[in-house]
Amino acid sequence: MPFPELADRLLQVRERIDSAVRRGGHGQTVRIIAVTKTHGPDSVQAAVDAGLEDVGENRVQEALSKMDAVSVPVRWHLIGHLQRNKVKSLLRFNLFHALDSSRLADAVNEMGRAADRTVDALLQVNVAGEESKGGFAEPDWRGEAERLKALDSIRVRGVMTIAPLDADERTLRSVFAGARAARDVLIAAGHEATELSMGMSNDYEIAVEEGATFVRLGTILFGARPA
Ligand SMILES: *Cc1c(COP(=O)(O)O)cnc(C)c1O
């Protein structure tokens, strides 16, 4: 059986999440997204067998080939950057986490309108203003929150952020709290923004304490990724 440790690891992660929800006091429900990137389709099957219902990939092509290789009832999340010429593939995902520019949002909206479909998406925010990362910085996300109201084929369901690598706890906490504040801006603008996608293997407990509703976990569930 592939990933023999998955069930035990998941049990521990769930306990840690429950404790973090209690410490944080936000009372939210947290869903675990199993990040299967670089692993084969058997990782998706293993996730489902362990009781997970959400799978995340950061590359479209890899995600689509896994979707074709397994037929298991999971919700697919695209958690990585998407090129504008590939927006049509979003029709195969349940939630897109990386709405990271106005031009991409326009392309997604156009595609949705043409396909007569509404696309559920999260606004990616770059709280720490890192050059190397995509997403809207403060205060640009305020303007985008307003602008997105006119894009009828996108439903903005919340915010996604990726914290700086190797940041200390104080920095992580302020980044995650900043993402939560960005979600409040979306809500104030009238979006049904209930979701906060933040937290990876190294920082998910702090993210949950700060209100995460989705944590995106790869390494801690499946082990180190093949090089
Ligand atoms: C790879 C990836 C993750 C999971 O990372 P781990 O540290 O292995 O848990 C989460 N989010 C995004 C956007 C990723 O690309």
Side-chain angles (χ1 to χ4, degrees), residues 35 37 58 79 160 162 200-201 216-219 225:
V35 178
K37 67 184 185 197
N58 67 333
I79 61 177
M160 182 273 251
I162 303 171
M200 303 170 36
S201 292
R216 308 178 306 265
L217 303 179
T219 312
R225 279 182 282 277

Side-chain angles (χ1 to χ4, degrees), residues 126-145:
N126 185 348
V127 182
E130 289 175 280
E131 290 281 338
S132 61
K133 286 214 179 88
F136 293 88
E138 166 103 80
D140 301 349
W141 65 56
R142 296 176 184 276
E144 189 64 10

Side-chain angles (χ1 to χ4, degrees), residues 60 78 81-93 96 99 103-112 115 119 154:
V60 177
L78 185 62
H81 174 72
L82 180 66
Q83 287 175 290
R84 277 179 294 141
N85 62 359
K86 296 197 178 137
V87 290
K88 204 146 187 245
S89 62
L90 288 179
L91 297 175
R92 299 194 60 191
F93 291 87
F96 175 44
L99 212 52
R103 288 172 81 195
L104 178 60
D106 287 340
V108 171
N109 189 58
E110 275 308 307
M111 183 282 296
V119 176
I154 300 179

